[in-house]
Amino acid sequence: MKIKEIISVLEEMAPLAYAEDFDNVGLLVGDQESEATGVLVCHDALENIIDEAIAKKCNLVVCFHPILFSGLKKITGKNYVERAVIKAIKNDIAIYAVHTALDNHQEGVNKIFCDVLGLIKTKILIPKQNFIRKLVTYTIPENAEEVRNALFDAGAGTIGNYENCSFNSKGIGTYMGNEHSNPQVGERFEFVQGDEIKIEVTFEKHLENKILKALFRSHAYEEIAYEIYDLQNKHQNIGLGMIGELKNPMKEKEFLLFAKEKMQADGIRHSNFIGKEIKKVAVLGGAGSFAIKNAIQAGADAYLTADLKYHQFYEAENRLLLADIGHFESERYTKNYIVEYLRKKNLNFAVILSEENSNPVKYL
């Protein structure tokens, strides 16, 4: 199996189109045409992780955080990023990062966070915007079912928990072909008027090429009329953060001690206790200060995230319990999820969970 075949599996788990624009995800180092010898899954692809991959005969490292985040003008080994990249290249080891592609997935980082805390009734905290498009096309009634099914198979027509969604309306279509035409119905230079079905489906924007190929392949007409629109609708199943409910409410301190234990945190920084029971909990793995207002607006009693600055604790405004659980800690189970996902795909080589702890933050 080649590395590019494993990449296809990884992109099923975390489509690169789900990633934030600022991010650097996908294959960062290496040749996707190489034969895979094994996969090492880690949180950060540091130099010691590359050493571990060499020792365990893995030529693909799948990491959560991208080791290459901004551009490198020189690769001389002067810092930890350059040293890791140099060692990977020298030893023909590929590095693939998932980061916000998995952050934004409804089964990704924040769902894992929620599951560890035992939250129920979970939903996306900040649904992704500008991600949904709509296709409108027209065909003869005899061809409508074939076109719809082709579009559905290509990924169109999924709305929330429903698939194969479309709207169909009847109308009258007209056309007249010129000397170069080869009409399916009627003859050249003949004015044709007949029944048509208008088909409307929505789709995620990264599927557009696939959707159009399916349309052109299945449509009966020589020239296909279609329109594509950008929609303002938010995508309810893709986005950052999640919010859910505890099965049983907890006192504030009890909840923090519970979260500390479950997330294996060595310490939690938090805002003032405000004397309310914790039932509704928002989470966002990694740096999540930007979502404090979203957590408040969603009615959360507590918001767990990481990398909060001093003044950001004031933003709790005595409306919720704000807690910094640690960056690594908030994402710590992500690599386990990736390993489990790949193993379920029955790949014909080892998928190994890294034994290295790459958390750079230590506590006394």
Side-chain angles (χ1 to χ4, degrees):
M1 178 177 280
K2 291 187 176 183
I3 286 175
K4 68 180 180 182
E5 295 175 77
I6 305 170
I7 289 175
S8 294
V9 175
L10 290 167
E11 290 186 6
E12 290 175 8
M13 178 191 71
L16 298 185
Y18 287 10
E20 296 297 308
D21 292 339
F22 65 79
D23 206 3
N24 189 31
V25 293
L27 186 64
L28 306 182
V29 174
D31 180 7
Q32 67 174 359
E33 296 295 335
S34 298
E35 290 291 329
T37 60
V39 180
L40 182 69
V41 180
C42 65
H43 203 79
D44 302 277
L46 306 174
E47 189 177 7
N48 62 327
I49 300 293
I50 305 302
D51 287 331
E52 184 182 9
I54 295 168
K56 295 177 177 175
K57 296 181 171 33
C58 296
N59 67 343
L60 173 60
V61 171
V62 177
C63 53
F64 180 64
H65 290 139
I67 186 68
L68 290 171
F69 197 76
S70 54
L72 293 178
K73 293 185 177 180
K74 299 178 181 178
I75 306 179
T76 60
K78 68 179 180 181
N79 59 43
Y80 76 97
V81 173
E82 294 179 10
R83 289 192 294 273
V85 171
I86 288 172
K87 182 163 287 190
I89 293 172
K90 280 184 176 180
N91 291 278
D92 294 322
I93 292 174
I95 301 176
Y96 185 98
V98 294
H99 205 209
T100 58
L102 193 55
D103 273 317
N104 277 314
H105 197 286
Q106 63 176 338
E107 298 295 330
V109 176
N110 296 296
K111 183 60 163 62
I112 298 164
F113 199 162
C114 288
D115 288 346
V116 173
L117 296 175
L119 301 184
I120 58 175
K121 300 178 182 178
T122 57
K123 61 181 182 179
I124 300 294
L125 180 64
I126 310 174
K128 200 167 183 64
Q129 294 181 294
N130 304 316
F131 201 74
I132 302 174
R133 289 181 179 165
K134 183 176 185 179
L135 168 72
V136 179
T137 191
Y138 313 81
T139 189
I140 53 177
E142 298 85 351
N143 182 226
E145 183 177 0
E146 182 181 354
V147 170
R148 274 196 305 270
N149 289 338
L151 296 174
F152 295 154
D153 289 343
T158 296
I159 303 175
N161 296 322
Y162 293 84
E163 298 179 351
N164 296 359
C165 302
S166 68
F167 185 79
N168 303 267
S169 51
K170 295 180 179 180
I172 302 296
T174 66
Y175 59 84
M176 183 172 67
N178 62 22
E179 68 272 19
H180 303 295
S181 67
N182 184 27
Q184 176 75 15
V185 178
E187 303 293 335
R188 295 174 185 172
F189 305 111
E190 177 187 358
F191 179 78
V192 177
Q193 177 175 297
D195 292 337
E196 285 193 329
I197 302 294
K198 178 181 181 183
I199 302 171
E200 302 177 59
V201 291
T202 59
F203 61 92
E204 295 176 4
K205 67 178 183 180
H206 66 284
L207 297 174
E208 182 170 322
N209 287 338
K210 188 176 180 181
I211 298 292
L212 289 178
K213 285 180 181 178
L215 174 65
F216 298 152
R217 185 175 61 250
S218 61
H219 206 289
Y221 285 172
E222 180 183 27
E223 297 289 348
I224 303 168
Y226 70 94
E227 302 122 39
I228 291 178
Y229 305 97
D230 286 322
L231 301 183
Q232 297 299 311
N233 307 51
K234 296 177 181 179
H235 197 307
Q236 59 185 307
N237 285 338
I238 301 173
L240 291 169
M242 272 198 166
I243 187 164
E245 295 181 7
L246 292 166
K247 292 178 182 177
N248 299 300
M250 297 183 186
K251 300 289 187 184
E252 290 166 297
K253 185 174 181 181
E254 178 190 7
F255 170 71
L256 289 181
L257 291 173
F258 166 78
K260 181 180 178 183
E261 176 189 359
K262 289 293 185 180
M263 304 305 294
Q264 300 181 40
D266 289 322
I268 295 180
R269 299 185 302 141
H270 63 86
S271 60
N272 287 330
F273 289 149
I274 55 178
K276 67 187 298 187
E277 282 194 325
I278 305 301
K279 174 71 173 177
K280 201 169 185 180
V281 179
V283 304
L284 197 153
S289 61
F290 62 90
I292 295 172
K293 291 181 180 179
N294 300 87
I296 292 172
Q297 290 169 357
D301 302 312
Y303 175 43
L304 298 182
T305 187
D307 298 349
L308 298 177
K309 296 180 181 179
Y310 175 88
H311 289 95
Q312 288 167 341
F313 283 95
Y314 287 126
E315 295 180 28
E317 295 280 6
N318 290 322
R319 296 176 64 182
L320 86 174
L321 177 63
L322 180 59
D324 186 331
I325 199 169
H327 195 122
F328 176 87
E329 289 79 3
S330 68
E331 302 167 338
R332 70 158 59 247
Y333 297 107
T334 303
K335 61 182 182 180
N336 304 69
Y337 173 84
I338 298 171
V339 167
E340 291 171 7
Y341 187 93
L342 292 176
R343 285 177 178 171
K344 287 178 182 176
K345 295 296 181 178
N346 295 317
L347 304 177
N348 59 357
F349 46 77
V351 178
I352 300 171
L353 179 65
S354 173
E355 297 176 11
E356 299 288 336
N357 183 338
S358 59
N359 188 1
V361 180
K362 309 301 176 186
Y363 301 87
L364 285 174

